[in-house]
Amino acid sequence: MTTVSSPLHLWIPNIFEFKGGIQVYSEFLLSALAQIFPDQSIQVFLKHDRQAKNTQPNISFHCSGHWPPALRTPAFASAIALAAIKNKPRLILSTHLNFTPASLRLKQLFNIPYWTVAHGVDAWGIQKSVLQQALHQADLILAVSHYTRDRLLKEQSLDPSKVVVLPNTFDETRFTIQPKSQKLLQHYQLKPDQPIILTVSRLDIVEQYKGYDKIIHALPKIIQALPNVHYLIVGKGSDRPRIETLIQHLQLENHVTLAGFIPDEALGDYYSLCDVFAMPSKGEGFGIVYLEALACGKPTLGGNQDGAIDALAGGKLGVLVDPESVDDIAQALIRILNGSSAHPLIYNPQQLREETIQLFGFQQFQQTLQSLCQTHFGSKP
């Protein structure tokens, strides 16, 4: 790769102090770009992070998180605008659609091309005209799933050639096949042979579409078939009081554990603890948690109305159900747990992991991004 003087500019909400789907995707995107363009200067602008950890010489970080919240947006806007004027970047790539109006303005003033990323709810039902205009003028939109792409195209009437799919990826070194953690079994007073259902999700009022409450409603029927089944929910948020009330109403205190916040480095042990990972969502853009569970060799259940279709490869890697049907969820989980599911791959942990890596591993992610760069950015490896 020849050295290019004009830098790449990446605009990212944050990646270091909070780990959600957008943050994880942004971090992998940055890592892939750094490897595709090892001699290219990459300047990263982080809106909410106060400081950054950098081990790669071609990456420089600019953080706006030290500003008070009321001043952070203008401070971040000033930083990205001044840097663009000074550096005339080769490309601006923002990992959140809300940054695109600023990208459009810089393109109008200085003819700087820009790409952006469409994840999920951020890309659906957009009504703001300034954001709609910025999406139409983007040089490329990276959608994390075909579901997100199709919905964005339908709602915004965009040029299909400018909206491409770059699926989520995951850290295959962190999420591996492991035996159930004796420490966690003891901590939650569970038995090694006890069937365990797991969901990893923020318990936020605005994210009730994740479907964890539907699993709780399904538990009475599941308990009839599997009396000692236990449901473990990892995550915290404003929806927890409602979920606690629901558990009490259905008298499921002995069958449900709300684990709360779990550090990222401990998540692998929780995936390994379960016998099935379930998140029957109806509004997920993709769902990295599905990939993490699959990489741990776990049978996985998702909804058939959103990005989980992509994550589970149309049902090849897992079981897709109607997220609105408590009965469908219950019956599918019973079949998975009693070994009678019609998806033989979910009972072969090593093959399940290998096929997940083949489809969604970081190497595949980087290759897809490199191909997109060659096609749409005129860059050759």
Side-chain angles (χ1 to χ4, degrees):
M1 178 77 71
T2 58
T3 302
V4 180
S5 57
S6 298
L8 301 180
H9 280 194
L10 262 67
W11 299 351
I12 299 175
N14 55 324
I15 55 177
F16 293 106
E17 298 177 29
F18 174 77
K19 295 292 184 185
I22 293 176
Q23 290 73 23
V24 173
Y25 187 95
S26 299
E27 193 167 13
F28 281 120
L29 185 65
L30 173 58
S31 296
L33 285 171
Q35 294 184 42
I36 294 170
F37 302 106
D39 301 313
Q40 171 77 66
S41 171
I42 301 176
Q43 296 191 19
V44 183
F45 297 83
L46 301 166
K47 182 176 181 180
H48 299 295
D49 283 324
R50 289 168 293 182
Q51 58 185 358
K53 303 172 185 177
N54 185 19
T55 59
Q56 302 190 62
N58 62 326
I59 299 176
S60 58
F61 290 99
H62 309 270
C63 300
S64 299
H66 58 279
W67 287 91
L71 300 175
R72 193 169 300 160
T73 294
F76 180 73
S78 297
I80 58 178
L82 289 173
I85 295 170
K86 178 182 178 181
N87 301 142
K88 299 297 191 297
R90 193 180 181 198
L91 174 74
I92 293 172
L93 201 170
S94 64
T95 65
H96 198 291
L97 296 182
N98 286 348
F99 295 156
T100 52
S103 303
L104 172 58
R105 186 59 176 156
L106 291 169
K107 181 178 183 178
Q108 292 170 334
L109 291 172
F110 304 107
N111 198 31
I112 302 171
Y114 67 94
W115 295 5
T116 190
V117 180
H119 297 275
V121 293
D122 59 310
W124 305 334
I126 294 173
Q127 300 294 326
K128 293 182 179 179
S129 59
V130 63
L131 188 51
Q132 291 175 331
Q133 182 184 7
L135 289 176
H136 278 272
Q137 295 300 317
D139 293 88
L140 197 68
I141 299 173
L142 308 176
V144 301
S145 65
H146 290 88
Y147 175 79
T148 291
R149 178 183 185 272
D150 293 345
R151 184 163 174 176
L152 188 59
L153 288 174
K154 180 180 179 181
E155 293 179 354
Q156 302 301 329
S157 300
L158 297 167
D159 180 350
S161 68
K162 290 188 176 183
V163 187
V164 298
V165 177
L166 179 63
N168 280 283
T169 186
F170 64 99
D171 187 345
E172 57 201 68
T173 64
R174 283 184 54 213
F175 301 100
T176 59
I177 299 172
Q178 301 289 339
K180 292 189 177 186
S181 166
Q182 291 299 317
K183 182 179 179 180
L184 290 182
L185 288 171
Q186 293 173 7
H187 178 73
Y188 293 112
Q189 298 181 339
L190 300 169
K191 297 178 180 178
D193 59 349
Q194 188 171 1
I196 298 172
I197 303 168
L198 173 70
T199 298
V200 176
S201 168
R202 286 196 298 272
L203 298 183
D204 197 288
I205 289 175
V206 300
E207 297 193 19
Q208 293 179 10
Y209 61 81
K210 301 280 190 178
Y212 44 78
D213 54 348
K214 291 292 194 294
I215 296 176
I216 293 173
H217 279 292
L219 275 178
K221 181 167 288 188
I222 298 173
I223 291 169
Q224 292 178 12
L226 301 160
N228 64 336
V229 69
H230 199 86
Y231 182 32
L232 186 63
I233 305 178
V234 168
K236 67 175 183 177
S238 57
D239 202 30
R240 179 166 178 146
R242 181 182 72 94
I243 296 303
E244 290 175 335
T245 300
L246 178 60
I247 292 168
Q248 293 170 3
H249 175 72
L250 296 175
Q251 300 181 341
L252 294 170
E253 292 90 341
N254 294 329
H255 291 275
V256 183
T257 296
L258 302 180
F261 171 78
I262 299 299
D264 286 344
E265 58 269 19
L267 281 178
D269 289 337
Y270 280 80
Y271 287 118
S272 297
L273 185 66
C274 77
D275 296 282
V276 57
F277 178 84
M279 194 172 75
S281 171
K282 59 181 179 182
E284 193 72 25
F286 184 94
I288 295 175
V289 289
Y290 297 118
L291 302 185
E292 294 171 350
L294 291 167
C296 293
K298 296 300 177 177
T300 300
L301 176 144
N304 63 5
Q305 297 180 13
D306 63 6
I309 299 171
D310 282 65
L312 298 183
K316 177 183 177 182
L317 298 178
V319 178
L320 295 167
V321 299
D322 180 356
E324 300 281 8
S325 173
V326 170
D327 185 65
D328 280 4
I329 293 168
Q331 294 300 333
L333 287 172
I334 290 170
R335 287 193 293 269
I336 291 171
L337 289 170
N338 68 18
S340 63
S341 174
H343 294 65
L345 179 60
I346 68 174
Y347 299 119
N348 188 328
Q350 188 59 44
Q351 186 180 354
L352 187 61
R353 171 179 167 79
E354 290 173 359
E355 296 206 16
T356 301
I357 291 173
Q358 183 178 4
L359 289 172
F360 300 110
F362 180 73
Q363 182 177 359
Q364 181 60 51
F365 178 89
Q366 183 173 314
Q367 288 176 354
T368 302
L369 179 59
Q370 184 164 331
S371 177
L372 291 173
C373 288
Q374 289 179 276
T375 302
H376 298 275
F377 193 27
S379 298
K380 299 179 180 180

